[in-house]
Amino acid sequence: METVRKNKVFLIDTLSTDASVVLQHVQSDSIITGRHYNNLNQPNHTQEKIIINLLDTVMNRGDETCQKFLKLLEKKELQENFPQLTKLFTPDQTSHDQKGPAKPTEIGEYKMSSKPRGVCLIINNMEFGQPDQYRHGSDKDEESLEKVFTWLGFTVVVHRNQTAEQMKTILKTQSRNQHDGDCFVCCILSHGSADGVIGTDGGNIKGAEIYDIFNGMLCPSLINKPKVFFIQACRGKQNHPMVKVQSDGYKEGKAGEEKVKEEELETDSVQITIPAEADFLVARSTVKGYYSFRSDSGSWFIQSLCEHLTKHCPTGEDIYTILLRVNKDISEKTGQHNQNPAKQMPVQKITLRNKLVFRVPQ
């Protein structure tokens, strides 16, 4: 039973391509009864829903039924229909009679197969009443995020130029909605202050008002589902000293260091805390106390994030590894802000309990 449970996400993704074939085989092998077959083979159910219900039925019937099901999946005729099964179901993984040292417990993976995957909320504040406060390039960030998360199967919802109260209302509405998808993503692009994100009216929205409303008590439909926040904003007014990332000066960089000198970079400032609840990921564009940078072509952080999601999600790479790539990418950039060398270092805070892989819908 444990093998079926641990590999449930993989089985849903693999077997949902042709649920009718699976049902025929499990009935012919007497793994389920005729009554079970009729209950599962509902014309109004999606392929994915049928497989989910089948796996629940198999596990509810106990270990013996689970073992028969695993043996079925090892058969040549099944693996000809579902070639992906050969990657997972080997004798070592399905047999309880093998002797030898115990294998370490593998980290699971969050389910990422619903259609749509979930909601991706984008709040993009660009206009703050003064020309010198306009967030140039944030439209490019919004465009990139919307393109990537639409491609990843999310329903993208965009709100531009919101006051602090409007932002609170949008987030509260999302937290009260029924989330039938597998994941919730929130992207906030704005100016900020020492204790929160700034609305277009100059009002603050604090970290607790962003994250806490998505905890299990206030948003039960997201329990055990990943809640992902990408924040493009500074967290202070300090420039990173060049020596912390590169040992050379601004004018004579080493090979591999990317310089951004064509245009003066702009900044946003914010400081936000991480929620204590499980299944959160908060990826921020810079560490506490420092600037993050943006130009007419978009921000360093969001543009790098979208680039690496596009490149590495199709290979099955998890989000933490992708964010490590983003960290490396941005740490190697050098720009100019107020005639000073500009460096940046993103940071992530994670309470995820499984690997989070944004599976590209077929």
Side-chain angles (χ1 to χ4, degrees):
M1 183 186 301
E2 184 65 14
T3 302
V4 176
R5 186 191 64 78
K6 286 171 61 177
N7 295 298
K8 189 175 181 181
V9 172
F10 170 83
L11 291 171
I12 292 169
D13 286 341
T14 302
L15 302 179
S16 292
T17 58
D18 197 340
S20 61
V21 169
V22 181
L23 286 182
Q24 291 169 13
H25 279 278
V26 294
Q27 185 186 28
S28 64
D29 278 29
S30 301
I31 294 171
I32 60 172
T33 65
R35 180 174 60 84
H36 285 137
Y37 178 89
N38 292 332
N39 289 337
L40 292 167
N41 193 26
Q42 295 293 323
N44 61 327
H45 283 178
T46 64
Q47 301 266 319
E48 180 183 287
K49 182 66 173 176
I50 292 172
I51 296 300
I52 291 172
N53 290 342
L54 170 62
L55 295 177
D56 288 341
T57 299
V58 169
M59 288 188 287
N60 286 338
R61 301 195 74 192
D63 286 332
E64 184 177 346
T65 300
C66 288
Q67 287 301 310
K68 290 177 65 177
F69 180 65
L70 292 172
K71 289 295 183 184
L72 169 67
L73 296 181
E74 290 183 298
K75 289 186 176 180
K76 182 178 179 181
E77 55 266 36
L78 255 293
Q79 295 193 357
E80 286 176 349
N81 281 285
F82 307 100
Q84 293 278 32
L85 289 175
T86 59
K87 297 181 180 180
L88 187 61
F89 289 97
T90 64
D92 282 345
Q93 289 171 302
T94 56
S95 174
H96 291 281
D97 298 327
Q98 296 284 335
K99 293 185 178 180
K103 294 183 178 179
T105 302
E106 293 186 5
I107 298 174
E109 184 178 317
Y110 287 104
K111 178 176 176 291
M112 192 62 64
S113 58
S114 63
K115 297 181 180 179
R117 298 293 195 245
V119 171
C120 173
L121 171 67
I122 301 174
I123 299 177
N124 180 17
N125 290 339
M126 296 184 294
E127 299 177 359
F128 291 80
Q130 300 293 329
D132 62 348
Q133 291 294 310
Y134 186 83
R135 299 185 62 254
H136 298 279
S138 197
D139 57 331
K140 301 296 185 183
D141 284 349
E142 176 194 312
E143 179 182 329
S144 297
L145 287 166
E146 183 171 9
K147 180 180 179 181
V148 167
F149 281 99
T150 299
W151 168 66
L152 289 174
F154 284 78
T155 300
V156 179
V157 179
V158 179
H159 295 276
R160 281 190 173 188
N161 301 321
Q162 301 294 306
T163 66
E165 288 303 315
Q166 288 171 334
M167 292 170 69
K168 292 176 186 178
T169 299
I170 290 167
L171 291 164
K172 286 178 181 176
T173 299
Q174 282 293 333
S175 73
R176 292 168 182 167
N177 285 347
Q178 175 64 32
H179 292 269
D180 295 322
D182 296 327
C183 180
F184 173 72
V185 176
C186 178
C187 309
I188 299 180
L189 320 171
S190 189
H191 286 308
S193 66
D195 61 353
V197 176
I198 291 181
T200 55
D201 60 341
N204 274 351
I205 174 170
K206 297 183 179 180
E209 296 170 302
I210 297 173
Y211 307 124
D212 288 1
I213 55 177
F214 291 97
N215 66 27
M217 292 293 293
L218 299 177
C219 189
S221 62
L222 284 176
I223 291 175
N224 296 326
K225 298 178 182 180
K227 296 160 276 285
V228 181
F229 294 81
F230 297 113
I231 310 293
Q232 165 53 38
C234 298
R235 305 182 64 201
K237 297 183 178 181
Q238 300 181 58
N239 282 306
H240 273 284
M242 292 288 291
V243 70
K244 287 197 173 181
V245 180
Q246 299 288 339
S247 60
D248 52 302
Y250 173 62
K251 293 183 180 180
E252 297 181 359
K254 289 184 178 178
E257 179 181 272
E258 180 182 350
K259 293 186 177 181
V260 185
K261 298 190 292 185
E262 288 76 10
E263 50 194 337
E264 181 76 3
L265 297 167
E266 298 180 0
T267 66
D268 310 297
S269 59
V270 68
Q271 180 176 318
I272 304 175
T273 57
I274 182 73
E277 293 272 338
D279 306 308
F280 277 85
L281 183 153
V282 179
R284 291 170 286 191
S285 56
T286 190
V287 296
K288 183 177 179 180
Y290 291 89
Y291 284 128
S292 63
F293 297 104
R294 170 179 38 80
S295 66
D296 287 340
S297 58
S299 65
W300 287 4
F301 175 62
I302 296 297
Q303 292 302 312
S304 178
L305 172 67
C306 291
E307 176 185 343
H308 286 291
L309 286 170
T310 301
K311 184 175 181 180
H312 297 290
C313 284
T315 69
E317 196 163 89
D318 68 284
I319 187 62
Y320 185 67
T321 304
I322 289 174
L323 288 169
L324 289 178
R325 295 183 184 276
V326 173
N327 286 358
K328 184 177 186 297
D329 183 20
I330 294 178
S331 71
E332 293 174 352
K333 292 181 180 288
T334 302
Q336 180 175 301
H337 175 248
N338 291 339
Q339 299 182 341
N340 293 314
K343 300 292 293 185
Q344 183 177 327
M345 189 67 247
V347 64
Q348 298 85 43
K349 298 290 186 179
I350 298 175
T351 60
L352 298 179
R353 296 173 296 161
N354 296 293
K355 290 183 180 180
L356 173 56
V357 180
F358 289 116
R359 299 287 180 185
V360 182
Q362 299 299 316

